[in-house]
Amino acid sequence: MPATVIVGGQWGDEGKAKVVDYLMPHHDVVIRFQGGANAGHTVVNDDGRFAFHQIPSGILYPHVTGILGNGMVIDPFAFLDELKVLIERGIEIDGRLFISSAAHVVMPTHRILDNLYETDIREESIGSTGKGIGPAYSDKYDRRGMRMAAFLLDKENLFNLVRIHVEQNNKFLEYFKMPPLSLKKVASDFANIKDLISHFIVDTQDIIYELKMKGKRIMLEGAQGTLLDIDHGTYPFVTSSSCCVGGALTGTGLSPKDIDRTIGIYKSYTTRVGNGPFPTELTGEVGTTLRERGKEYGTTTGRPRRCGWFDLVASKYSVRLNGFSEIALTKLDVISGLPAVKICTAYSMNGETLTRFPQELSVFHKCEPVYEELPGWGEDEIRVDSFDELPKNARRYIELLEERLGVKISFISTGPARGETIVREAAYSFDKQ
Ligand code: GDP
Ligand code: IMO
Ligand code: MG
């Protein structure tokens, strides 16, 4: 049975979890396929607000099986903390949450090195979330990483793997004149959680295959966003994983044939948290207005997000990379009530007009946005049930984005809650499921 992929079309925090949550009743399985605790995914439902970091956000529905896929890097301690909060809030998890034995472990040394690279080593800080993501993926690709399967070993073999890792990474810490981590302490921390975490760890590639063969419908929950992708994003101001649709295959073991729906999530404007180029960034009053109205503060770090107008050049690029079959446009409420809204249709660089997304950072840094301005619409006028009832200017804004991106906007989100969603029936039907 085919799968749906949810991918962020911008620099993350587009409202992916809100859309996952909205579509989850039509799916049986939810899988995170990349990233780790750097993600902050928020769901607002009748029971309040839930912030997810490593556990897929679709787990709130009792019929759903949740999987942390092989493409992730997992902080086991943070996983247990997140789990505890969910259980305390009455979410029954038993038997329906699995962690891939092939996912990599984020070790305490990874977090230390992540922060050290940011503060002391890099020429310019990336603004990493400090969760150890980059160093954990480095170790994976350097073939020195520890997989979650380590927790399935007996205590002596687990100790040996932890020892190898701590001894190796302590050499890096020593090189950077940092105090080494105590092997005794790390090993005993790992031994203490072994029994708590080991029963979640399985061969998820196999389980996913079985679920697929049983005809279960799968939701693949992307983290971060296309412009933060390690290959296609604004390198080096990116994260360390494949955030595009391709990552959903390598990060789960599914094949291209399994995917029939790729939904790009875009905010009605743009935000970026952390450093790096951002041509449509608004540093003045309008930027502050967007930040305050959109509550644009990081779910993971609490950092204020940089805000700006919708960037069509960057968004067309992310449509192209992912081949989105449809788009969900979120946070329309945040730009409602403004006298006018702007869309960046091209970049201008030294008098030259660019309509393609530049790969070279030196070019990107010099890009100035070229805007098209559209009239605004009233704040309360968007509290409607259908697209046709939206005010004319809001429809014009959405239709212009749709036309230029060449993809149908099937969902329009007008608030954080499940109910604050407009579905355009013609574009999206559930009859395939
Ligand atoms: P994600 O990382 O893509 O899942 O997004 P985040 O959860 O980090 O950030 C999106 C924020 O916007 C969350 O606080 C959501 O509750 C909120 N949100 C989602 N959709 C809407 C919307 O349409 N309007 C408003 N005002 N907030 C929204
Ligand atoms: P969700 O899934 C927004 C950003 C960080 C930093 C860069 C690298 O909630 O959309 P990392 O810790 O990954 O090494 O940081 O990527 N970043 C995100 N920005 N949303 C996220 O996740 C992000 N995860 C990482 O701010 O600029
Ligand atoms: Mg987020």
Side-chain angles (χ1 to χ4, degrees), residues 13-17 40-42 299 305 331 333-334 413-416:
D13 301 326
E14 296 89 348
K16 296 176 289 293
H41 292 182
T42 320
T299 313
R305 295 173 183 151
K331 298 196 134 179
D333 52 312
V334 177
S413 174
T414 56

Side-chain angles (χ1 to χ4, degrees), residues 47 82 84 104 179 196 212 250 253 316 321 411:
D47 296 323
E82 197 174 329
K84 189 164 167 260
H104 277 246
L196 293 174
K212 176 178 98 174
T250 52
K316 274 186 188 166
L321 281 166
F411 303 93

Side-chain angles (χ1 to χ4, degrees), residues 46-103:
D46 293 344
D47 296 323
R49 180 180 179 276
F50 293 82
F52 292 92
H53 300 285
Q54 302 190 98
I55 296 177
S57 58
I59 200 73
L60 290 178
Y61 289 89
H63 74 279
V64 165
T65 299
I67 296 177
L68 284 75
N70 60 274
M72 288 185 74
V73 286
I74 296 170
D75 180 331
F77 301 96
F79 167 82
L80 291 171
D81 289 344
E82 197 174 329
L83 187 69
K84 189 164 167 260
V85 173
L86 283 180
I87 292 169
E88 278 168 4
R89 291 185 69 178
I91 310 299
E92 190 60 64
I93 298 289
D94 273 358
R96 60 184 190 96
L97 185 63
F98 302 100
I99 299 176
S100 168
S101 52

